[in-house]
Every structure is written in structure tokens, then in C-alpha cells.
Amino acid sequence: MTSTASEAQQGRAPGEQPPPWQRRLRRFGYVPAPGRHIGLRMRLVPPYSRPGAQVWRVLGVPPVLAGHLVRWAAWGGPLLVALVAGLLRFWHLGSPKAVIFDETYYAKDAWALIHQGYEGQWPKDVDKKILADPSAVPVPVDPGYVVHPPVGKWVIGMGEQLFGFTPFGWRFMVCVLGTLSVLMLCRIGRRLFRSTFLGCLAGALLAVDGLHFVMSRTALLDQVLMFFVLAAFGCLLIDRDWSRRRLAAALPYDAEEDVLRPDAGVAEGLRFGWRPWRIAAGVCLGLAFGTKWNGLYILAAFGLMTVVWDVGARRTAGAFRPYAAVLRRDVVPAFAATVVVTFATYLVSWAGWIVTKGGYYRDWAQGDGRGGNWTWLPDWLRSLWHYETEVYNFHIGLTSGHTYQSNPWSWIVLGRPVSYFYESPKPGERGCPETATGDCAQEVLALGTPLLWWAACFAVLYVLWRWAFRRDWRAGAIACGVAAGWVPWFFYQERTIFLFYAVVFVPFLCLAVAMMIGAMLGPPGSDERRRTVGAVGAGVLVLLIIWNFIYFWPIYTGRTIPTEEWRNRMWLDTWV
């Protein structure tokens, strides 16, 4: 391309120098955006990439069959990755046959919810009785004080309803959501990168992440939260494509040159109307908020992200004042579809507590809460508000120490994982060889696959660089997902928090690593040598991550191993 053509693409007259700030930033990789009139349809609705003809020739695949394989791979590839992830996660799901870590709260709360609509006050030391004979343990009628909304417990309770009050039962639905999240990430990655290969790679990385794997096999709330957050992100991604297709369809088409033309009137005046995928995202965010309150931070981040996407779409279509256009046309509908729908969904999630009379603080408005300035509100709403304020005070005051608490700064490098279960079987017991010289170790450790997470440290830096200096919206979306799940915890460093909270942004770490690996493979048009070197480097990295997952498999699944083998897997002193 000639320099004159390049300058025209960048919106400058021939010979005109770029602004000084652009010249300074170029040393860091800054690239000016192309002109709006170049490939407008491509910029609004980019096509999906296809393997080159040379690949099929090398593999000996006829062109007709190659076309069928490409179409099949769009769903076949993600389904295959999800099948492998599901087989791994459902393998011996009921083992260990124990109430591990915080399952002692959520499994029992879920059982009470599905039987009476509200959580009960369980007696102490009832876990052993439940494991021995759950039918002999009655559901307590007295209300229990719980500090998390009910959606995640309803999800856990669905599995208990199907398979009983057993470890397999209370882990079943969480495992289903963990498997489905792998499928979703494959499809989300495919849509984000416009590449089936990179999408399936992101899903495969999630399938072999240790933290996601352990959380898929444990009845805790954070995996449920992660599922709804990822689903909301996927809905917003589909909405982005949908709205940009609407813009492209409304812009004037130059049949003579076979191109779209930007039009300020269309770009600033078009109303998108009904946006069902944005409303679906609002429902998912409401379910996330109804699982754990940190879903509110996700709502704020994703709500801002989707509005910024609208600004970019209208600017690309030719709007002279895209922010003003979005403020007039999009902000109010976006607020209704996300914030209003989210809070409405959250209220509906409390239906069990609302329609029954036994829940904690359910009758507060009729007793201690009588009188005041808000008596015109329904009693159940005033009681719920009081309950929420009490829970908020509990959360901000939770500063008691815990053996496995950690600072969010250490999460990305896996500074302090959480041991969910640990026992020391003696020789001849529970799989410990009789010839063992000492006790064995049996542990379930909520630890991310180390090589994946340490690679993600570099991948996060890469996406931040690509977002800042290449203005790549995909990198910005990934960075938004990571920040929404991670950054809020830095404001609560005095609170008792744990590394497993990071499972919410693990899918976005996998997207970041997949994007970095895509860059390693080389851009389109790279020569054979560049492609070969990139493929070897990327392949070695992926194989090492898979090997790392296999190596730590025994301490992800609670398999009994000799203590010496267990010590070999404690790479850092803080993991013990």
C-alpha cells in the first residue's frame, strides 16, 4: 500500500503529518484507525475466518467435504470440547463422600429451600447424620439466618431434588453448569474472535483449569455466579452483533462500487427498538446478583461496556456526535433492559421467602418494624429491605481471620489456594497402599492450573496493551470481564476473602490466553516460517497446560496418594 493511500485511510491529506501524540505512542505499538469509508460492512459485521485451502490440501480433504466440516465445526467443535469437560467433571462426582468446606452451609440451605421455601436453622454436627442416612434427618422449621441470596441454593436444590440429599445430589447441578460454561465459552470465543479454532481453544483451556474443575465438583455459590456472568456476557455479545447488523442494513448501499456508505442521519437517528438479547443479559445479571451480591459490580461494568459498544457502532456508521446519539437513543432503553430487569429478576428470586411465612425476618415489618415513614410499602418489601441491610452490615464487618484467606493481589499468581478437604489415610485404608512407609494424603485443593494462570499473567498484559494501543474492542471486552470480577475485591482487602472467588473471571483469563496464542500463531498473510514457529510455540504452551492439569489431577479429585507425591505437588510453601 502506498503512503498516500495509507494517509487517506487514516483521514489525513497527502503529506500531512499525524499529531505528535500519535507519533509518540507509535513506539509502543499504537496504530491509527482506518478511515470510515474503507470496508464499512467488514467493520460493522466482520465475517468468520475459514481455514485456507492449503490446509485442506495438506490433509487431503476434498473442497466439498471441507465446506461441510467448517459448518459442522461451528457447533461440533464446542460440543466435543464440552463433552470431554463433562466426562472429566462427572467422573466420581460423589467422591469424596463428605461435606467439604462450605458445602456444610449451601447443601443444607438448598435442601430446606426446595422443601419449605426458606432456609432453616440446622442443628450443629448434623453432617455425619446426613451422610449416614439423609432420610432420618428432618428439615428444620425454625428459620436460619443466611447471608447470600437464594438463586444459587435453588440451583443446588434442583440436583438434590433429582438425586437426593447426597454429595452427588448437591453437586450435580453445579457440575452441569460447569460443563455448560465450557460450551458457552467455546461459542463466545468463536463469536468474539470470529474463529472456531480460537473459540474451542478458550473452552478447552477452561476445561483443564483446576479451579474451575474443582468448583464444578463442589456445591458452592461462586460457580453458579460464574455461569450467569458468562451467560450475560454472551448475550451482550450477541446483542452487539445484532445491533450492528441493523445499522449495516439501514446504511445506504452503493451498488456501483458494492460498498456501504456512512450516513450521519442513519447513524445518529436509527432506533434499535426491541433488543431481546440485552433483556436476556439483564435476566442473567439478575440471577447472578441473586446468587451473590458481587454480581452488582458485574452489572455496572457490563452495562457501561454495552453502551460503549453502541457508541463505537454509531461512530463507525458515520455519526458525528456518537455520544450524544447514544445518550438520546440508547441509554434509557439500555438502563431498562439491564438495571431494571436485573433488579426485577432479583426480587422474583426471593419468591420462596416472600410467599411463605417462616423465613428469617419475614414478619419484621409487622413486629419490630411497625411505624415509620415507609408503611405505605408492602410489609414483605419492608421486611426484605431490613433483611438486606442486616446482611450488608454482616458482609462489611466480616474481618475474622481464616487459615486460607488471601489478598486479591495474590490471586492471579495462585498465592494461597483453599483446601476444601484433607485426610491422611493409613496404609491399607481408602486406597493407601499397605506397603506405604507412612500415612498417605487425600486432598481437594481449589487451585487453578498453575501454568495456565501464570501464562494468563502475560496474557492480561497483552490484552491491556492491545486495547490501549491497537484499540481492539475484543481485548477491551476481555479486560472488562477480568476487571469486573477481580478489581472490586481490592476495595475490601480488610475483609475475609478467598482465592476461589476468582472463578468468576477464570473464563476471561482463558479468553485472554487464547487471544495471546492467536497472536503467537501470526496474523493473516504471515509466511510459512512465521506460522511454523508460532504454531510450535503455541502447541508447546497448550500441551504443557494440559500436562499440568493431569499432574495435579490427584489433588483436584481427592485421590489418595503417598505423602511424598503430595509434597511434590506443593510447588509453593503457601499452598500447604
Side-chain angles (χ1 to χ4, degrees):
M1 181 181 291
T2 65
S3 59
T4 301
S6 177
E7 290 167 353
Q9 282 192 22
Q10 296 165 18
R12 302 196 309 271
E16 181 183 351
Q17 292 295 319
W21 65 270
Q22 286 191 9
R23 295 200 298 272
R24 287 193 294 270
L25 288 179
R26 278 184 176 178
R27 71 186 67 176
F28 301 106
Y30 174 83
V31 176
R36 289 177 179 159
H37 63 287
I38 303 298
L40 182 55
R41 185 185 299 277
M42 184 80 71
R43 295 175 63 200
L44 283 173
V45 191
Y48 287 87
S49 62
R50 287 172 167 266
Q54 184 178 359
V55 174
W56 300 118
R57 284 197 299 269
V58 171
L59 296 175
V61 179
V64 175
L65 179 58
H68 290 306
L69 288 176
V70 169
R71 287 191 294 272
W72 171 86
W75 272 103
L79 286 171
L80 182 60
V81 174
L83 175 62
V84 173
L87 291 175
L88 292 173
R89 282 154 175 74
F90 277 98
W91 182 84
H92 287 189
L93 180 61
S95 177
K97 188 180 179 181
V99 181
I100 64 175
F101 200 61
D102 281 354
E103 284 185 341
T104 187
Y105 303 115
Y106 306 127
K108 291 180 290 191
D109 287 343
W111 187 249
L113 269 179
I114 63 172
H115 280 86
Q116 59 191 21
Y118 62 89
E119 297 90 339
Q121 180 63 48
W122 292 85
K124 294 181 179 180
D125 303 322
V126 74
D127 292 349
K128 292 182 179 179
K129 295 180 181 178
I130 293 172
L131 293 171
D133 184 10
S135 63
V137 180
V139 177
V141 178
D142 293 338
Y145 177 67
V146 295
V147 295
H148 291 297
V151 169
K153 287 165 281 187
W154 280 113
V155 170
I156 294 170
M158 291 169 61
E160 293 174 332
Q161 184 73 8
L162 291 171
F163 298 103
F165 198 22
T166 65
F168 182 87
W170 60 63
R171 295 170 191 162
F172 176 78
M173 280 304 300
V174 180
C175 195
V176 168
L177 296 191
T179 303
L180 290 178
S181 66
V182 173
L183 175 62
M184 282 199 304
L185 190 65
C186 289
R187 293 288 298 176
I188 286 171
R190 179 179 184 271
R191 183 176 291 272
L192 187 69
F193 301 127
R194 288 305 198 258
S195 167
T196 301
F197 169 75
L198 290 181
C200 289
L201 175 61
L205 292 174
L206 187 64
V208 296
D209 174 62
L211 181 60
H212 185 275
F213 177 83
V214 171
M215 296 298 287
S216 296
R217 294 167 55 86
T218 312
L220 302 187
L221 303 181
D222 299 85
Q223 187 79 340
V224 181
L225 172 64
M226 178 279 306
F227 176 84
F228 289 125
V229 168
L230 185 61
F233 182 82
C235 290
L236 291 176
L237 202 58
I238 298 173
D239 174 74
R240 181 184 187 275
D241 284 352
W242 178 89
S243 61
R244 292 170 82 90
R245 282 197 299 269
R246 287 284 304 273
L247 265 176
L251 290 173
Y253 172 66
D254 188 331
E256 184 175 340
E257 297 188 17
D258 191 27
V259 295
L260 287 180
R261 298 295 185 190
D263 185 286
V266 172
E268 295 181 3
L270 180 67
R271 293 182 181 275
F272 292 116
W274 177 260
R275 297 177 70 163
W277 285 107
R278 185 175 272 179
I279 296 173
V283 173
C284 291
L285 289 169
L287 294 173
F289 179 30
T291 301
K292 292 189 79 172
W293 276 6
N294 47 315
L296 272 181
Y297 293 106
I298 311 292
L299 167 64
F302 283 8
L304 179 61
M305 179 181 68
T306 189
V307 171
V308 170
W309 284 352
D310 284 346
V311 171
R314 291 189 183 274
R315 179 190 289 120
T316 301
F320 293 120
R321 295 176 295 276
Y323 287 96
V326 167
L327 187 62
R328 289 197 307 270
R329 307 293 185 194
D330 302 321
V331 167
V332 172
F335 181 85
T338 54
V339 177
V340 175
V341 171
T342 292
F343 278 90
T345 304
Y346 178 80
L347 277 180
V348 171
S349 73
W350 282 89
W353 182 89
I354 293 171
V355 301
T356 58
K357 289 295 184 181
Y360 205 87
Y361 281 135
R362 178 60 184 84
D363 297 323
W364 174 85
Q366 301 171 9
D368 295 340
R370 284 181 297 181
N373 298 323
W374 300 94
T375 52
W376 54 276
L377 291 173
D379 286 345
W380 65 265
L381 185 57
R382 294 173 55 228
S383 297
L384 180 60
W385 179 259
H386 176 72
Y387 194 173
E388 304 285 64
T389 57
E390 292 296 311
V391 169
Y392 176 76
N393 292 330
F394 167 84
H395 281 303
I396 62 174
L398 184 60
T399 57
S400 56
H402 192 283
T403 303
Y404 292 106
Q405 72 181 68
S406 59
N407 190 286
W409 286 108
S410 70
W411 291 356
I412 193 71
V413 293
L414 302 174
R416 183 60 170 163
V418 180
S419 180
Y420 286 173
F421 175 85
Y422 186 90
E423 288 189 357
S424 301
K426 297 185 179 301
E429 297 180 356
R430 298 200 304 276
C432 186
E434 293 183 0
T435 57
T437 57
D439 293 349
C440 292
Q442 185 183 14
E443 182 174 34
V444 176
L445 186 65
L447 171 73
T449 302
L451 293 185
L452 173 59
W453 281 65
W454 295 340
C457 295
F458 297 97
V460 169
L461 294 176
Y462 170 72
V463 298
L464 290 174
W465 169 82
R466 192 167 182 89
W467 177 44
F469 295 106
R470 294 297 176 91
R471 275 94 43 80
D472 191 329
W473 73 270
R474 303 169 303 172
I478 295 170
C480 179
V482 174
W486 187 18
V487 170
W489 293 109
F490 289 98
F491 299 103
Y492 298 96
Q493 294 188 54
E494 73 285 352
R495 187 185 183 275
T496 308
I497 53 180
F498 304 93
L499 183 145
F500 66 81
Y501 295 172
V503 74
V504 174
F505 61 86
V506 167
F508 300 97
L509 294 182
C510 294
L511 288 172
V513 174
M515 190 173 194
M516 183 179 70
I517 290 175
M520 291 171 62
L521 293 172
S526 299
D527 58 45
E528 186 174 348
R529 183 175 181 275
R530 170 67 179 84
R531 286 286 193 181
T532 301
V533 172
V536 170
V540 168
L541 175 59
V542 172
L543 289 175
L544 284 174
I545 290 171
I546 294 172
W547 164 82
N548 204 207
F549 174 74
I550 295 171
Y551 179 71
F552 283 98
W553 172 270
I555 62 173
Y556 292 148
T557 57
R559 177 184 167 191
T560 301
I561 56 176
T563 303
E564 187 62 29
E565 291 188 20
W566 173 82
R567 288 198 188 99
N568 291 339
R569 288 164 172 80
M570 298 298 105
W571 287 2
L572 301 179
D573 292 340
T574 55
W575 292 3
V576 179

